[in-house]
Each structure stands twice: as structure tokens, then as C-alpha cells.
């Protein structure tokens, strides 16, 4: 009994002992010499973050394309005054000096553009969600291999400073073998009222939570056995789609939960907690961009002072990783093939929410929305 008390006392002492945070490569890493001409296809609202990140990094966007010429011209005036404007993406793809293409359209119209870019032997960064059909995604992956080009996905959440530090800490073995991950977001998503996003039935589990499903696959690097999810409307929400959703993910010797409350108007909170055999690492804050990370091990606790912000650093990270992969002749960590695992988990969660039954990730091949 005395030994147990001693062990407990030591554990409490360790838990309250501050230690220096380990320096981890959580920031985006630029290529050493590879600085190609980039074409951006689609110039909608989110591409402001793309171009802000690229300009800050010194990347050269030589072409801007949108069916609505005014949108492309607006982006040119804001960021790249020397870029050439196109309304037909095939014209941009015909340029031999364009080596990398960032495709930022909605998923339903993206598929033929992805195929055309790969056939033109361009390296591609696809907006998320990559595809809504896993088999179509697999065919694109195989086509990219056949054409010897890199195909990556803009899962920019991986390079949000807090998520990036956590995944690097896990990869470095700082908390041992991960057996639990619990992520929750409590925020107000009613801004979609009156926009085309109101037509997305699973606006939370599909359009928003894809970042969290993707990050989860980097935290727990093993195949999930099954997922159970649900969704419902809040009594006070203004937007049409249900804004409350949750998912429970089962693994061999591990578990994860994801909770999304998208009608929280006061006291908003975003938390992440990952437990492993040698410690825990957590992050918490009032928003996606204001987070404090804390690592706990038997040696004590550490709180790294993180630099950067999800917007626009996350967008810098996705393109930087693709460019580095091209330069180093390897697959990018955010490859389309890797992203299919995240989509499989997301699709299974959506199907579970629709049917009220647990689903096996990978068995649900298409997203039925």
C-alpha cells in the first residue's frame, strides 16, 4: 500500500513539473530549389487563403482560371498581377510551362478537371473532399501513377499549428502507442444560411468534419473496425441542415470520438485530446485558430509556443508538401491515396448517420447525399 502511495505521489509531482517543449518540425517546409509555375483552377472564396499563402511563400502562380472571368481578375488584382487569365481550364493545361495545378472547384465538377490535368502530366493539388466515390478516387490515383505525376489533396487542417504539432509529437513517439483520441468542436455554423451550403444535407459530417476525420487518421495510424454516427438539428439553429453531429470510431485496442455542435453562439470551444501508453497531448481554445497545446509525460508537462495560424498556413503546408515531394521524388504525405482512408471513414460515418447502424469504413464506396 505504501508503494502505491509513493507511486501516486511521484506521478502527481511529475504532472506538475514544467519541462521544455521539444522542437518539432510542425511548420510548413518549402522546397530547396523547385519553384515551378502554378495554375489555380477556380477562384472562389476559399482561394483567397490559397493565394495569400502562396504569395507569402514566394510561389509563382502564373495562371488563374475561372468560368466567371471577374473572379479570376479579382484574384489577379489582389495577388498576382502578372498571371494570365483563363475561362477554359483546358487552355491553361496546354501550357508547357505550367507544372503544378491547384484545382479548387466543388467535388461534383472536379472529377473531369482532375483527369484532364493528370492526362496533361501536371502535378495536382485537389481541393477537399477529394472525391465522393472511392472507386473514382482509386482510378485517379492509378492514373497519376501511370502518368508519373504527384496527386495530393488540400487537407489543410493537417498543417494547422496545433494539429501539426500533435501529429509530429505522436510520430516522434512522445506519447507512446496511441489508444484514444477525442476531438470536439463547439461553434456557430449558421453563417451558411442563404448560401449554397444550405443544400448540403451533411454539412457537418461531410463538408466540415472531413478535416477531423483526416486528422484522426494521422493520429491513429491503423484501420478502423467500424464507426457509428448520428446527426440532428438544434432547436435554435437558423441554417437548414442539421448542425449537431457525432461519431464513435472503434479500432483494435483503441477508440476515438468526434463531437460537433455547430449552433453554439456563446462560449465556443475547440478541444483535442490524445492519449498514449507514455503520455497525453491535448489542445484547447475558443476557436480553430486560437489553441494551446500541452504535452504530459512521466517527466512532466510542456506547453510549446506555436507560431502561425491554420489560415493561411494550412494552405501553405499542403502545397509545400506537394512541391517537396516532387523535388524529392516521393509520395506526398497528403497524397490522394492516403486521403482515401480519410474519405472511407467519413463516408462510413455519413452512412451510419443515415441508417442508424454502425458501418465498416471502406465498405461504403460512395457518398450518398
Amino acid at each position: 500500500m505504501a508503494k502505491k502511495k509513493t507511486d501516486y505521489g511521484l506521478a502527481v509531482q511529475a504532472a506538475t513539473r514544467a519541462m521544455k517543449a521539444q522542437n518539432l518540425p510542425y511548420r510548413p517546409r518549402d522546397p530547396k530549389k523547385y519553384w515551378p509555375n502554378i495554375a489555380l483552377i477556380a477562384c472562389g472564396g476559399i482561394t483567397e487563403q490559397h493565394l495569400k499563402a502562396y504569395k507569402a511563400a514566394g510561389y509563382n502562380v502564373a495562371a488563374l482560371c475561372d468560368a466567371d472571368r471577374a473572379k479570376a481578375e479579382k484574384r489577379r488584382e489582389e495577388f498576382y498581377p502578372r498571371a494570365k487569365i483563363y475561362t477554359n481550364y483546358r487552355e491553361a493545361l496546354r501550357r508547357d510551362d505550367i507544372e503544378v495545378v491547384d484545382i479548387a472547384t466543388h467535388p461534383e465538377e472536379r472529377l473531369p478537371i482532375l483527369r484532364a490535368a493528370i492526362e496533361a502530366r501536371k502535378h495536382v493539388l485537389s481541393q477537399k473532399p477529394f472525391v465522393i466515390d472511392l472507386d473514382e478516387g482509386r482510378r485517379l490515383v492509378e492514373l497519376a501513377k501511370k502518368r508519373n505525376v504527384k496527386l495530393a489533396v488540400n487537407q489543410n487542417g493537417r498543417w494547422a499549428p496545433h494539429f501539426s504539432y500533435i501529429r509530429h509529437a505522436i510520430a516522434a513517439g512522445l506519447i507512446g502507442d496511441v489508444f484514444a483520441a477525442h476531438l470536439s468542436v463547439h461553434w456557430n455554423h449558421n453563417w451558411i444560411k442563404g448560401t449554397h451550403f444550405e443544400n448540403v444535407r451533411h454539412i457537418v459530417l461531410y463538408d466540415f468534419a472531413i478535416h477531423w476525420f483526416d486528422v484522426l487518421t494521422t493520429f491513429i495510424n491503423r484501420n478502423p473496425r467500424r464507426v457509428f454516427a448520428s446527426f440532428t438539428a438544434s432547436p435554435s439553429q437558423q441554417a437548414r441542415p442539421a448542425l449537431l453531429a457525432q461519431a464513435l470510431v472503434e479500432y483494435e485496442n483503441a477508440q476515438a470520438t468526434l463531437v460537433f455542435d455547430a449552433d453554439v453562439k456563446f462560449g465556443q470551444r475547440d478541444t483535442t485530446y490524445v492519449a498514449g501508453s507514455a503520455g497525453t497531448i491535448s489542445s484547447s481554445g475558443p476557436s480553430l485558430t486560437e489553441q494551446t497545446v500541452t504535452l504530459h509525460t512521466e517527466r512532466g508537462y510542456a506547453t510549446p509556443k506555436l507560431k502561425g495560424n491554420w489560415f493561411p498556413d494550412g494552405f501553405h503546408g499542403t502545397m509545400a508538401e506537394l512541391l517537396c515531394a516532387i523535388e524529392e521524388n516521393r509520395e506526398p504525405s497528403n497524397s490522394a491515396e492516403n486521403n482515401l482512408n480519410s474519405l472511407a471513414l467519413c463516408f462510413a460515418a455519413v452512412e451510419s448517420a443515415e441508417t442508424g447502424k454502425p458501418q465498416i469504413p471502406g465498405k461504403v464506396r460512395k457518398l450518398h447525399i
Side-chain angles (χ1 to χ4, degrees):
M1 181 66 71
K3 185 178 185 303
K4 288 184 179 179
K5 288 183 178 180
T6 301
D7 289 345
Y8 177 75
L10 290 173
V12 171
Q13 187 178 27
T16 58
R17 185 188 304 132
M19 59 182 182
K20 184 178 180 181
Q22 187 163 328
N23 186 24
L24 297 172
Y26 70 93
R27 298 281 288 157
R29 178 174 67 89
D30 289 319
K32 294 178 180 178
K33 297 180 180 180
Y34 183 67
W35 299 82
N37 285 333
I38 299 170
L40 173 64
I41 298 178
C43 297
I46 193 61
T47 61
E48 178 183 1
Q49 300 298 331
H50 293 229
L51 296 176
K52 186 182 294 184
Y54 300 167
K55 191 168 183 64
Y59 299 160
N60 183 35
V61 175
L64 296 165
C65 180
D66 199 288
D68 183 345
R69 186 179 180 87
K71 290 183 179 179
E73 290 176 341
K74 182 175 185 293
R75 292 292 181 241
R76 179 171 64 178
E77 292 172 6
E78 291 172 325
F79 299 101
Y80 288 92
R82 295 184 180 181
K84 189 169 181 179
I85 299 294
Y86 298 90
T87 55
N88 185 332
Y89 68 87
R90 294 186 183 277
E91 293 181 12
L93 294 179
R94 280 196 286 268
R95 283 181 53 173
D96 291 335
D97 64 323
I98 297 291
E99 297 182 34
V100 176
V101 180
D102 179 359
I103 302 175
T105 63
H106 294 296
E108 295 80 2
E109 58 208 60
R110 192 184 307 136
L111 202 59
I113 306 175
L114 287 169
R115 285 200 200 97
I118 294 169
E119 289 287 8
R121 288 183 165 81
K122 310 297 184 186
H123 302 291
V124 176
L125 179 64
S126 168
Q127 181 60 287
K128 64 84 193 167
F130 170 43
V131 289
I132 54 177
D133 183 323
L134 296 182
D135 294 325
E136 290 284 6
R138 173 56 60 183
R139 283 190 280 271
L140 288 171
V141 167
E142 295 306 319
L143 180 61
K145 290 179 180 179
K146 185 177 179 180
R147 293 290 181 264
N148 195 30
V149 295
K150 308 299 182 188
L151 176 58
V153 180
N154 197 341
Q155 288 290 174
N156 45 78
R158 294 190 185 194
W159 280 271
H162 64 295
F163 282 151
S164 188
Y165 191 91
I166 291 172
R167 65 186 177 88
H168 277 91
I170 293 169
L174 299 188
I175 65 170
D177 296 326
V178 173
F179 59 77
H182 304 289
L183 298 83
S184 62
V185 196
H186 317 280
W187 83 111
N188 187 357
H189 209 61
N190 282 290
W191 66 266
I192 66 171
K193 182 175 175 60
T195 74
H196 71 277
F197 289 106
E198 273 204 297
N199 298 320
V200 181
R201 177 170 169 80
H202 287 280
I203 189 66
V204 174
L205 282 177
Y206 162 58
D207 185 74
F208 183 85
I210 184 58
H211 287 297
W212 278 259
F213 286 119
D214 182 71
V215 166
L216 180 58
T217 66
T218 71
F219 291 172
I220 303 182
N221 187 23
R222 67 191 85 165
N223 293 327
R225 286 180 165 178
R226 63 178 186 166
V227 58
F228 179 77
S230 64
F231 74 129
T232 190
S234 160
S236 59
Q237 67 176 69
Q238 286 87 48
R240 187 166 58 248
L243 294 184
L244 306 180
Q246 58 188 341
L248 170 66
V249 188
E250 298 176 356
Y251 302 83
E252 182 178 4
N253 300 322
Q255 64 179 8
T257 57
L258 298 94
V259 176
F260 306 98
D261 300 322
D263 186 36
V264 177
K265 301 176 180 66
F266 311 101
Q268 299 173 1
R269 204 74 186 161
D270 179 346
T271 63
T272 302
Y273 184 91
V274 186
S277 57
T280 63
I281 188 165
S282 61
S283 183
S284 183
S287 70
L288 308 177
T289 59
E290 300 174 74
Q291 291 283 305
T292 300
V293 172
T294 305
L295 169 73
H296 287 273
T297 70
E298 64 178 358
R299 293 176 51 235
Y301 73 92
T303 302
K305 293 182 179 179
L306 302 182
K307 297 179 180 179
N309 202 309
W310 185 336
F311 299 85
D313 291 346
F315 299 85
H316 178 188
T318 54
M319 178 59 80
E321 173 61 10
L322 173 58
L323 298 183
C324 286
I326 297 168
E327 182 178 59
E328 297 161 11
N329 193 28
R330 60 170 174 80
E331 278 297 285
S333 63
N334 57 330
S335 71
E337 186 166 27
N338 173 274
N339 189 239
L340 290 177
N341 296 323
S342 306
L343 291 178
L345 183 55
C346 177
F347 292 3
V350 170
E351 186 72 10
S352 176
E354 282 291 328
T355 63
K357 299 177 181 179
Q359 300 292 330
I360 299 173
K363 295 290 186 181
V364 181
R365 305 303 296 175
K366 291 184 179 182
L367 183 68
H368 299 287
I369 45 173

